[in-house]
Amino acid sequence: MTTMTEASVREFKMPDVGEGLTEAEILKWYVQPGDTVTDGQVVCEVETAKAAVELPIPYDGVVRDLHFPEGTTVDVGVAIIAVDVTGGAPAEAPAEAPAEPAPAKEEPSEPEGRKAVLVGYGVAESSTRRRPRKGTRPVEPPPAEDKPYTAPALPGVQGELNGHGTGAAGPRPLAKPPVRKLAKDLGVDLATVAPSGPDGIITREDVYAAAAPSPAAEPVAGTPATAPAAPTAPAVSAAAPAVSYAAARETRVPVKGVRKATALAMVGSAFTAPHVTEFVTVDVTRTMKLIEELKQDKEFEGLRVNPLLLIAKALLVAIRRNPEINASWDEPNQEIVLKHYVNLGIAAATPRGLIVPNIKDAHDRTLPQLAEALGELVGTARDGRTSPAAMQGGTVTITNVGVFGVDTGTPILPPGESAILAVGAIKLQPWVHKGKVKPRQVTTLALSFDHRLVDGELGSKVLADVAAILEQPKRLITWA
């Protein structure tokens, strides 16, 4: 998204990199004023409420100005960088201008009512104007006469950028956006990190290793010199600055990105949809045995087979038997929208926070296809590559809180969905089986649903069906 301010200067605006996103935070600049850029070269990395994205510049030229420093949240449509597309001759250079100034490069025509943005085309011009947030003023670039912001010189930043240009500082370190975000949170310079991933890619573990404190030159009295190092902090702790209790009484962390989006969604859902949560404890011993058998099946070779796979399939069968659960409430039109498809959401904890990508048309997938889709979804979320489109259009969600060792929870509905299933930890417990108390593998399920469109009878039937399938997985065949 660009505008022309002078005949030779183009302003590149913050594009809408998702579906309806209104702002993004500038995480890192990869160029400085005076640098030459080429069409397609990445100039900065931004973080939206859904993903970290690298922005390429859509034309050749010389950077005239960076309008905002790193860490600034900028509204979509606001200019963030100015580029001189005529070659960028310095103003103080001897004036040997041609007889006529070079005409500005003509913009390619766009379909009427649409503007080109980073991903395809943006939405059509709207007649409505977005109301500014309370307590804030619209973000605008500084006046032209102000001293332009100059990004600090970083080792390796001015090396190769997407194959364009070289620099004496060496190539830019290879790392995925979430790894770069983690390094920034921990104060680690990626140029100093030794990569261990394939093709020289810096991994999350490399960043944690670089952030770990160096051992003391001399061991503390009474402590062996070869004492094992403290375990590495989990990824989720990277969201908050590492400050000891002795250093400060409190630490304030800005609410932005995924955390801000999650907060808005959860508050909106909790105070809009009347939640009801029901629980059931079930013997899943037969399901766990089936999982071990499926792992040996050649149809699942190379695929991850785990309890979540059969729980997802059980929920899909339960929805087929009770299709009214797969719906949404349309408040403006006062209608209940019945969905004849299932986009199955899977809540995933990532270093950037909680996200809920979904498997499109999960109801049409075979068990091996569902296993493949789950593997791709989890791997993409873990690597921070989940696209905004993958998090849109969910109809029903599963959240597996059992991976944290807890029995269950009372999940809040994702906005626009009518049900969410929480799965607790599977534990070996005493259970009455065939008239005798035996150790069995047991878990607790919790189903939250929107009581505006789901009555207690319907919610109870869905939860009971899921439990019945997990207790007797052969019902996947008889009921499907």
Side-chain angles (χ1 to χ4, degrees), residues 24-398:
E25 177 190 355
I26 299 174
L27 293 181
K28 185 181 291 294
W29 283 109
Y30 297 136
V31 295
Q32 300 180 46
D35 289 346
T36 300
V37 293
T38 56
D39 186 0
Q41 177 177 327
V42 172
V43 294
C44 68
E45 180 184 6
V46 301
E47 182 182 36
T48 69
K50 298 177 180 178
V53 181
E54 292 182 329
L55 298 184
I57 200 78
Y59 33 72
D60 302 336
V62 176
V63 177
R64 170 75 68 87
D65 185 24
L66 306 180
H67 293 326
F68 299 100
E70 295 173 357
T72 305
T73 299
V74 183
D75 288 341
V76 168
V78 175
I80 59 175
I81 181 174
V83 176
D84 188 339
V85 297
T86 61
E92 60 272 20
E96 296 185 22
E100 294 183 1
K105 185 176 179 181
E106 185 177 353
E107 293 282 357
S109 61
E110 307 286 357
E112 186 175 356
R114 308 172 85 180
K115 293 184 178 180
V117 293
L118 180 65
V119 283
Y121 286 92
V123 294
E125 289 286 355
S126 172
S127 60
T128 60
R129 297 178 60 87
R130 182 160 52 86
R131 185 174 58 190
R133 298 186 299 272
K134 289 185 178 181
T136 61
R137 293 177 296 176
V139 180
E140 297 181 357
E145 61 270 21
D146 289 350
K147 185 177 179 180
Y149 166 74
T150 302
L154 297 176
V157 166
Q158 293 306 317
E160 291 191 15
L161 296 173
N162 282 6
H164 301 294
T166 59
R172 174 188 170 205
L174 298 177
K176 296 175 181 177
V179 178
R180 295 185 183 280
K181 177 65 165 58
L182 175 61
K184 178 182 178 182
D185 292 336
L186 297 180
V188 174
D189 184 357
L190 288 178
T192 65
V193 179
S196 65
D199 300 323
I201 295 178
I202 297 174
T203 66
R204 195 175 290 112
E205 289 72 21
D206 297 334
V207 174
Y208 280 126
S214 303
E218 296 182 4
V220 180
T223 305
T226 57
T232 303
V236 291
S237 66
V243 180
S244 66
Y245 279 23
R249 296 280 290 178
E250 295 179 348
T251 299
R252 291 180 174 266
V253 181
V255 178
K256 53 187 177 181
V258 173
R259 176 54 56 195
K260 181 177 181 180
T262 301
L264 292 174
M266 293 299 97
V267 170
S269 177
F271 291 97
T272 300
H275 285 56
V276 173
T277 304
E278 295 185 337
F279 306 87
V280 64
T281 302
V282 58
D283 176 5
V284 295
T285 305
R286 291 187 179 91
T287 290
M288 299 305 291
K289 289 180 179 178
L290 177 58
I291 290 171
E292 294 304 317
E293 294 175 4
L294 292 177
K295 289 179 180 179
Q296 309 304 320
D297 193 314
K298 64 178 182 180
E299 294 294 328
F300 292 87
E301 185 175 357
L303 300 177
R304 186 176 182 182
V305 180
N306 55 18
L308 180 60
L309 171 62
L310 292 188
I311 292 168
K313 191 63 175 178
L315 179 58
L316 292 172
V317 172
I319 292 172
R320 179 174 296 181
R321 287 167 53 84
N322 305 275
E324 297 85 0
I325 192 75
N326 189 38
S328 62
W329 183 272
D330 186 347
E331 181 65 29
N333 296 317
Q334 287 294 291
E335 295 175 339
I336 294 174
V337 183
L338 298 174
K339 310 292 179 64
H340 304 299
Y341 59 91
V342 181
N343 290 345
L344 183 61
I346 304 295
T350 73
R352 296 179 59 245
L354 175 68
I355 62 174
V356 188
N358 61 76
I359 300 172
K360 308 299 183 186
D361 295 323
H363 63 289
D364 281 339
R365 298 178 186 261
T366 64
L367 197 60
Q369 291 172 344
L370 189 60
E372 181 179 6
L374 279 171
E376 292 176 355
L377 180 147
V378 173
T380 300
R382 184 184 299 115
D383 293 338
R385 295 182 290 108
T386 302
S387 67
M391 292 182 278
Q392 298 291 325
T395 61
V396 177
T397 292
I398 296 176

Side-chain angles (χ1 to χ4, degrees), residues 313-322 460-480:
K313 191 63 175 178
L315 179 58
L316 292 172
V317 172
I319 292 172
R320 179 174 296 181
R321 287 167 53 84
N322 305 275
S460 300
K461 285 182 176 180
V462 172
L463 184 58
D465 280 356
V466 174
I469 293 172
L470 295 179
E471 186 174 21
Q472 293 283 356
K474 65 181 181 183
R475 290 191 172 104
L476 286 173
I477 299 174
T478 58
W479 286 0

